[in-house]
Amino acid sequence: MPEVSITDILREVDEDTGFTNSFTHVHTGSPCSDEVGLLNVLLAGGINMGLKKMALCSSSHPSFWSLMRISSWYVTSESMTDALAVIIEKHRKLPLSSAWGDGTTSSSDGQFMTTGGTGEAMNLVNAKYGIVPGVKAYTHLSDQYGPFAIKTIPATAHEAPYILDGLTMNNTGKRIKEHYADTGGFTDHVFAMCSLLGYQFAPRLRNLSSLRLYAMKGITISKAMKELFTAKANIERIEQQWPEIVRLIASIITHRIVPSELLRQLASFPRQNELAIALREIGHIERTIFILTWISSSDVQRRAQMGLNKGEAHHALKRALNFNRRGEITDRTSENQHLRMMYLNLLAAIIIYWNTKHLGSIIHDMKQQGIITPPEQLAHLSPLGWEHIILTGFYKW
């Protein structure tokens, strides 16, 4: 890969995709006329530098107040979401992207980010990461390496309720058929909701032997398997609540309710709540089917492991980009913390697009020289490298 400055990557990807057109004035809707100033703002947010330092380090010599004006009037969470969608869609159409998958599987995982100070209630201490307060960036990554959704969640929050948020957020999520997560993303309610919405949920489960398998009325279990099935799913309860379940799913599909809010409410309901119990019964059935599939199919295990490995490598890229201020998120409000995560995710998506494009060019040149790379070898390439990217120094536009 050629050595390249991060500023050149931003300019080239914008020329290819036009993602800066997504940043329009919050009142007038007009596009930002200062394209370099906007890219300065996006770069400053992505590498956690801040606008004051960027004003000193940029060759375009912007004033701090001009960058602040662009940040305040043009950069919102909605415009960042639109820009990300443009890049992900363009990345999906690059020839090399198809070597990594067809865009129908994805994985999600949380990445812990330290926060400088207590801030709001989101900056909580998670004992798993030490005594430093922080938040988690929960990212959804497609099998083509596109980080198509991100959500900022408390460091102490269970990750399971947020899985469906990313899958139902945009068109990329709607194309997904199979989704992978770690053990932290698994609950019976998530199994139920994923199945009802048409997703195959495939978490990497720990302690499989301690999980119950549920039988069903009307299905005969062989003698060899009988001792594994220690409980029975209650189909009557599902039938009684079926109209409410259909209404619930329709509310999610039409975006009338955010899935994470619904799942948190279901988890907090008292044990006798019939709707929560019915969904749990569906989850018992779906989890049983998945466990039987998991232990009998090495292909499913391999796909899940590969999907989660891509997510871990994606986290490594973000750690490399988020180098200023020792990677601490110094924003105090939850809204600004989320915006900071979106800056980082957008910059990562830009780098992934550029790497994919240029890896494809290298492979095309090799083919012209008679060097043919088998498709099974292309699948092992990754667009998550950053060793060839000049991230530090004076930012020359």
Side-chain angles (χ1 to χ4, degrees):
M1 293 288 279
E3 201 169 75
V4 61
S5 168
I6 186 64
T7 52
D8 291 338
I9 289 177
L10 284 163
R11 292 297 291 269
E12 185 179 330
V13 175
D14 185 37
E15 287 171 9
D16 285 0
T17 65
F19 72 88
T20 53
N21 295 330
S22 302
F23 296 92
T24 55
H25 196 282
V26 292
H27 291 313
T28 65
S30 58
C32 182
S33 57
D34 185 0
E35 183 188 312
V36 173
L38 176 59
L39 292 176
N40 271 312
V41 171
L42 297 178
L43 178 58
I47 62 174
N48 202 25
M49 176 177 271
L51 299 181
K52 283 186 178 178
K53 287 286 185 185
M54 182 53 73
L56 296 172
C57 294
S58 175
S59 68
S60 63
H61 302 296
S63 68
F64 165 69
W65 294 110
S66 68
L67 296 182
M68 180 63 80
R69 179 182 60 80
I70 293 170
S71 175
S72 301
W73 293 107
Y74 291 92
V75 183
T76 62
S77 59
E78 290 79 13
S79 61
M80 298 276 273
T81 301
D82 292 343
L84 179 65
V86 168
I87 294 168
I88 296 298
E89 189 59 30
K90 293 284 187 181
H91 177 262
R92 191 173 72 87
K93 294 177 180 177
L94 291 174
L96 186 58
S97 294
S98 60
W100 299 317
D102 56 2
T104 59
T105 67
S106 64
S107 64
S108 60
D109 194 20
Q111 183 176 17
F112 181 78
M113 301 283 188
T114 58
T115 51
T118 54
E120 287 192 353
M122 285 191 77
N123 295 336
L124 298 172
V125 175
N126 186 332
K128 179 182 175 182
Y129 304 105
I131 60 172
V132 182
V135 293
K136 278 198 283 189
Y138 196 70
T139 308
H140 285 65
L141 190 75
S142 76
D143 53 11
Q144 296 177 334
Y145 290 96
F148 61 90
I150 188 166
K151 187 148 189 168
T152 307
I153 64 176
T156 54
H158 200 269
E159 294 177 358
Y162 302 95
I163 285 174
L164 283 166
D165 284 6
L167 293 175
T168 57
M169 193 181 291
N170 51 44
N171 290 331
T172 304
K174 290 172 185 174
R175 281 194 290 266
I176 300 302
K177 298 289 186 292
E178 189 172 65
H179 183 76
Y180 315 116
D182 228 325
T183 301
F186 142 68
T187 65
D188 287 326
H189 282 154
V190 174
F191 262 111
M193 299 292 283
C194 283
S195 175
L196 291 165
L197 286 164
Y199 300 109
Q200 173 58 63
F201 184 43
R204 182 174 56 188
L205 298 176
R206 281 198 305 265
N207 304 323
L208 271 177
S209 58
S210 64
L211 297 175
R212 280 183 169 187
L213 295 182
Y214 287 78
M216 283 173 62
K217 187 174 71 175
I219 293 180
T220 306
I221 307 297
S222 65
K223 285 183 180 179
M225 297 287 288
K226 244 177 188 175
E227 61 183 36
L228 299 176
F229 287 82
T230 56
K232 187 171 282 190
N234 192 328
I235 305 299
E236 288 77 15
R237 273 186 154 153
I238 299 172
E239 290 173 343
Q240 289 167 10
Q241 293 297 314
W242 189 249
E244 289 299 318
I245 292 170
V246 171
R247 249 192 298 274
L248 208 64
I249 298 304
S251 299
I252 292 174
I253 291 171
T254 55
H255 302 289
R256 293 181 180 272
I257 188 168
V258 179
S260 59
E261 294 177 3
L262 173 65
L263 287 166
R264 287 203 304 271
Q265 286 179 4
L266 289 171
S268 65
F269 281 160
R271 288 183 178 274
Q272 64 269 24
N273 183 274
E274 289 299 323
L275 179 58
I277 291 172
L279 283 169
R280 198 174 294 124
E281 293 296 331
I282 295 174
H284 289 161
I285 297 167
E286 291 297 331
R287 173 160 60 89
T288 300
I289 295 169
F290 170 70
I291 289 173
L292 294 174
T293 305
W294 178 269
I295 60 179
S296 60
S297 173
S298 58
D299 188 47
V300 173
Q301 296 175 29
R302 193 180 301 112
R303 287 203 309 268
Q305 189 64 47
M306 284 172 63
L308 293 169
N309 285 347
K310 288 179 181 179
E312 291 295 335
H314 179 74
H315 290 341
L317 170 62
K318 284 185 173 176
R319 278 192 294 271
L321 295 176
N322 196 45
F323 61 89
N324 278 292
R325 297 169 179 155
R326 295 179 297 176
E328 283 187 356
I329 306 300
T330 56
D331 302 270
R332 294 304 180 93
T333 65
S334 55
E335 291 82 7
N336 286 344
Q337 287 171 357
H338 179 58
L339 198 60
R340 185 70 59 192
M341 301 300 182
M342 294 186 81
Y343 276 122
L344 180 57
N345 197 55
L346 183 65
L347 185 60
I350 289 168
I351 289 173
I352 289 166
Y353 175 92
W354 191 93
N355 282 345
T356 303
K357 175 187 171 183
H358 283 267
L359 280 169
S361 298
I362 291 168
I363 291 162
H364 177 73
D365 292 344
M366 289 168 63
K367 197 177 290 185
Q368 296 295 320
Q369 297 167 21
I371 306 169
I372 306 299
T373 309
E376 60 270 16
Q377 289 186 13
L378 293 180
H380 293 286
L381 286 175
S382 169
L384 299 174
W386 68 88
E387 294 84 358
H388 57 290
I389 301 172
I390 303 166
L391 290 169
T392 57
F394 190 72
Y395 295 105
K396 186 177 179 182
W397 299 96

